[in-house]
Amino acid sequence: GQQVMQIPQYQHVQEGEDFTTYCNSSTTLSNIQWYKQRPGGHPVFLIQLVKSGEVKKQKRLTFQFGEAKKNSSLHITATQTTDVGTYFCAGPDNQFYFGTGTSLTVIP
Amino acid sequence: KAGVTQTPRYLIKTRGQQVTLSCSPISGHRSVSWYQQTPGQGLQFLFEYFSETQRNKGNFPGRFSGRQFSNSRSEMNVSTLELGDSALYLCASSLQGYNEQFFGPGTRLTVL
């Protein structure tokens, strides 16, 4: 079956440093979505990318969808303590596949 | 607009028992999906219902079942509970399936 892997699994950064998580799917995706889950919370939708090579920005967050529509990345510039949480990518096939997640810790 | 609600929020059961979890989607959302979240396996898709029909099902045993009512509210049932069923069960609603998913707070199930 389809697999969606994310790396790294964990990332600790000093506040102000940049952070990137990478998402790789074993199959081509029609779209990719990103979610953030704060500790003790539930996943919250961040963004959806649909087009090959698409890049979208939300303030300090930059999302990219690969040309082959099999990979994606999320980059956070100058991390803040409010960025703490686990970031998941997710994509639909015959079901909805979530990536393995990247847990971000920001050290003040 | 009210968000997705799930009841109960916490549940403790013993092995062999069964459990029913409930999810009320955002008004107007016809798709409800269920996920199991565990530290070791991450977020795993259980099933998706749309207009009272199960459209997709994940790789879970038949002990896991669900249904959706005409008002889009959904329930999932787990029979003959096992220790490994301990998890956070999340439901998510969306307008039409695999668009932006709005998650509820989850039900934390502990099986002793």
Side-chain angles (χ1 to χ4, degrees):
Chain A
Q2 185 192 51
Q3 290 188 341
V4 183
M5 304 298 292
Q6 282 182 253
I7 54 170
Q9 188 175 359
Y10 302 96
Q11 184 81 62
H12 292 69
V13 300
Q14 292 281 344
E15 188 173 16
E17 291 182 337
D18 291 357
F19 159 78
T20 303
T21 173
Y22 300 91
C23 172
N24 291 287
S25 169
S26 59
T27 61
T28 301
L29 299 170
S30 59
N31 70 75
I32 196 151
Q33 299 173 23
W34 284 90
Y35 291 79
K36 176 184 178 181
Q37 185 173 20
R38 293 181 187 273
H42 56 273
V44 174
F45 175 84
L46 293 176
I47 207 160
Q48 176 174 289
L49 304 170
V50 178
K51 298 177 185 176
S52 169
E54 188 171 13
V55 178
K56 285 189 176 180
K57 293 189 177 185
Q58 287 180 349
K59 297 183 180 178
R60 295 178 296 104
L61 278 60
T62 302
F63 304 84
Q64 189 165 7
F65 201 8
E67 293 292 338
K69 301 182 78 172
K70 294 180 71 174
N71 57 61
S72 181
S73 64
L74 158 59
H75 179 82
I76 302 178
T77 303
T79 54
Q80 301 175 359
T81 53
T82 53
D83 296 325
V84 165
T86 301
Y87 293 85
F88 294 96
C89 61
D93 193 343
N94 59 332
Q95 58 173 273
F96 209 62
Y97 290 93
F98 273 81
T100 46
T102 296
S103 176
L104 173 64
T105 300
V106 179
I107 304 163
Chain B
K1 205 182 234 186
V4 178
T5 58
Q6 291 186 247
T7 56
R9 293 292 311 279
Y10 302 91
L11 208 48
I12 299 175
K13 292 286 187 179
T14 56
R15 279 180 299 174
Q17 288 187 310
Q18 76 165 23
V19 67
T20 299
L21 312 181
S22 180
C23 172
S24 292
I26 290 172
S27 177
H29 286 190
R30 296 165 66 186
S31 170
V32 174
S33 298
W34 288 88
Y35 298 87
Q36 181 195 66
Q37 186 172 33
T38 58
Q41 298 295 320
L43 266 164
Q44 293 193 289
F45 175 85
L46 281 155
F47 26 66
E48 186 233 352
Y49 286 87
F50 186 87
S51 293
E52 301 179 67
T53 301
Q54 185 183 89
R55 289 204 298 193
N56 292 294
K57 189 176 191 302
N59 298 325
F60 279 82
R63 300 185 297 107
F64 291 82
S65 63
R67 59 178 177 168
Q68 187 180 33
F69 302 95
S70 58
N71 61 358
S72 293
R73 190 178 69 85
S74 177
E75 289 182 347
M76 69 163 278
N77 183 277
V78 188
S79 62
T80 320
L81 284 165
E82 300 177 0
L83 295 179
D85 297 332
S86 293
L88 179 66
Y89 289 88
L90 293 159
C91 87
S93 75
S94 65
L95 280 171
Q96 289 190 33
Y98 301 142
N99 294 321
E100 176 181 354
Q101 307 250 315
F102 293 82
F103 282 83
T107 294
R108 173 76 60 185
L109 172 65
T110 302
V111 182
L112 302 175

